[in-house]
Amino acid sequence: MAACDVGVFTSCMCFIASILTLIEGIMYLVLRLEGMDVAFKHCDFLEEDCNYRWRGIFSFRPNVFFDVWTPLFLGVLGTSVHVQSFKFCFFFEWLLPHNYLQYAFFML
């Protein structure tokens, strides 16, 4: 039987949690985008409240932005701790934990 210490077991559980968070973020975006379309014919050039449903997803308002994009972003970050190909840029090296104590705080 293979030796399994607490660190390896915890790391595997965190990897599974990160993958599930990534899947949740993707599913949430797909469900929010389902049935949306962009109106070009009914909108003037500077008309207000045109395509308001898109602003519910693609917005920089903090209450919308963090609600929609946080699960996807944290899922990619958490998964990239274990999968090197998910590290898209040097910024990930700066954000990701380098020891188990930082990893524990990251997963909280």
Side-chain angles (χ1 to χ4, degrees):
M1 184 170 188
C4 184
D5 61 349
V6 175
V8 172
F9 178 74
T10 305
S11 184
C12 289
M13 293 302 293
C14 291
F15 178 59
I16 292 169
S18 296
I19 288 177
L20 291 175
T21 303
L22 178 62
I23 291 170
E24 176 191 14
I26 292 170
M27 286 175 46
Y28 184 73
L29 279 176
V30 167
L31 290 174
R32 292 280 305 259
L33 287 171
E34 189 176 357
M36 283 196 180
D37 56 346
V38 179
F40 292 110
K41 295 180 182 178
H42 306 293
C43 298
D44 292 332
F45 183 67
L46 293 174
E47 182 178 340
E48 60 186 36
D49 293 332
C50 187
N51 296 319
Y52 65 92
R53 292 180 64 199
W54 277 92
R55 285 195 322 261
I57 296 175
F58 301 105
S59 174
F60 286 123
R61 288 182 297 171
N63 58 341
V64 173
F65 183 78
F66 290 122
D67 188 35
V68 173
W69 295 101
T70 299
L72 184 69
F73 181 68
L74 288 180
V76 168
L77 270 179
T79 306
S80 68
V81 169
H82 303 279
V83 181
Q84 296 295 321
S85 62
F86 271 43
K87 294 180 182 176
F88 298 119
C89 64
F90 70 93
F91 190 63
F92 280 68
E93 289 295 329
W94 183 70
L95 281 175
L96 293 177
H98 297 287
N99 57 34
Y100 279 121
L101 182 63
Q102 292 174 352
Y103 192 44
F105 283 111
F106 175 75
M107 290 308 292
L108 285 177

